[in-house]
Amino acid sequence: MDRENSTVVTEFILLGLTQSREMQLLVFVLILLFYLIILPGNFLIILTIRSDPGLTAPLYFFLGNLAFLDASYSFIVAPRMLVDFLSGKKVISYRGCITQLFFLHFLGGGEGLLLVVMAFDRYIAICRPLHYSSVMKPRACYAMLLGLWLGGFVHSIIQVALILRLPFCGPNQLDNFFCDVPQVIKLACTDTFVVELLMVFNSGLMTLLCFLGLLASYAVILCRVRGSSSEGKDKAVSTCTTHIIVIFLMFGPGIFIYTRPFRAFPADKVVSLFHTVIFPLLNPVIYTLRNQEVKASIKKLFNHNIFTL
């Protein structure tokens, strides 16, 4: 039976983060403040890297793209979530749900691959410094950037293709504040065991392998750095430590959500809130606060603007 004949659901009702009106108001204020304060910081990072000729190294090129990905990712869930807090009935159309799901995995998958590319960049810079300029050429950087965008697209289109094949003919209440694979699959009126298994392999296994691979690569880098006496030892350790913090913050929630059977757990909504709203805004800020060059460039940019006013 084709999807048009088997799917009668045209919209999904989002039950939201909490049913408590007071708690909804508190979360709304906190997310709004967080969003308005941190989101401009991501654009400031992009502006600083693009305007400072001293920040042309591949590390800053990828950091600027990370800020762009995170800023884009934060627009998928947070704005609609803030609007839903103020509305009585939280409804999203079937097409809107699929679109939200696609962009979540498109940008999220691309960001995961970007962290892999950034780990490769650090490995070459620290462990193979004599080969760095020949390996990390501008053309190679752009090729890797294109590859991660394509990788994110392929990862996401697989998710969407599997969802579109499922019939939705009954319940349409999603026990969350956004559309994602685990919640949507549970509403399908058919046996979803095979689809869930494919989803776990596509999202869960990919997330887990990237996480373990990244940890292993940074462990090698740190061992190499700690055994050396180079002048840039402290800077390299600081950079790698920052990357490891971001890896745990990004992949931890993803592993929790996608590497297990799609069953509801009490912590799911909190983990999802952190994964879709809070972390994307914090990610580049963590990098910036621990990077002296970027902080110095931001101060220079502010001072220049002040004196030119």
Side-chain angles (χ1 to χ4, degrees), residues 94-105:
Y94 177 86
R95 291 184 178 180
C97 183
I98 296 299
T99 301
Q100 188 179 68
L101 188 152
F102 169 79
F103 281 106
L104 276 172
H105 287 271

Side-chain angles (χ1 to χ4, degrees), residues 166-293:
L166 295 176
F168 296 93
C169 50
N172 67 336
Q173 290 187 338
L174 291 171
D175 189 17
N176 216 318
F177 54 90
F178 72 108
C179 286
D180 199 9
V181 173
Q183 293 83 24
V184 175
I185 281 183
K186 285 185 289 187
L187 296 182
C189 48
T190 186
D191 183 15
T192 60
F193 175 78
V194 175
V195 176
E196 288 186 35
L197 192 62
L198 292 173
M199 291 292 190
V200 168
F201 272 102
N202 184 37
S203 289
L205 187 61
M206 172 186 169
T207 303
L208 184 60
L209 290 178
C210 285
F211 175 73
L212 295 177
L214 286 167
L215 287 185
S217 66
Y218 280 114
V220 171
I221 294 173
L222 288 174
C223 289
R224 179 69 176 267
V225 169
R226 292 187 184 278
S228 69
S229 57
S230 61
E231 293 181 3
K233 176 179 177 180
D234 292 339
K235 180 181 176 181
V237 171
S238 177
T239 301
C240 290
T241 303
T242 303
H243 287 209
I244 292 172
I245 292 172
V246 173
I247 287 167
F248 271 100
L249 291 176
M250 177 179 178
F251 287 98
I255 292 172
F256 177 81
I257 295 172
Y258 299 114
T259 58
R260 58 178 172 83
F262 294 159
R263 301 292 180 266
F265 285 87
D268 282 354
K269 291 184 180 182
V270 177
V271 174
S272 295
L273 177 67
F274 182 81
H275 190 54
T276 59
V277 178
I278 296 177
F279 170 74
L281 301 176
L282 277 179
N283 190 358
V285 176
I286 295 173
Y287 276 100
T288 305
L289 290 177
R290 294 179 62 90
N291 191 294
Q292 298 300 324
E293 286 83 359

Side-chain angles (χ1 to χ4, degrees), residues 7-60:
T7 296
V8 297
V9 172
T10 59
E11 63 182 23
F12 293 103
I13 299 174
L14 302 172
L15 297 183
L17 189 64
T18 175
Q19 298 301 310
S20 169
R21 195 62 187 172
E22 293 77 12
M23 187 61 68
Q24 285 186 26
L25 182 60
L26 176 62
V27 174
F28 172 83
V29 173
L30 290 176
I31 292 178
L32 181 61
L33 289 174
F34 198 82
Y35 200 68
L36 293 178
I37 293 172
I38 304 298
L39 184 60
N42 286 330
F43 291 109
L44 177 61
I45 294 170
I46 298 172
L47 177 62
T48 301
I49 292 174
R50 289 185 63 87
S51 61
D52 192 334
L55 300 178
T56 57
L59 173 64
Y60 304 112

Side-chain angles (χ1 to χ4, degrees), residues 134-170:
S134 60
V135 174
M136 301 302 295
K137 294 179 179 178
R139 181 176 296 181
C141 292
Y142 282 109
M144 285 186 276
L145 186 65
L146 177 61
L148 67 90
W149 279 101
L150 289 176
F153 177 80
V154 171
H155 161 70
S156 184
I157 207 68
I158 292 174
Q159 307 274 56
V160 171
L162 291 172
I163 291 290
L164 289 176
R165 294 177 61 86
L166 295 176
F168 296 93
C169 50

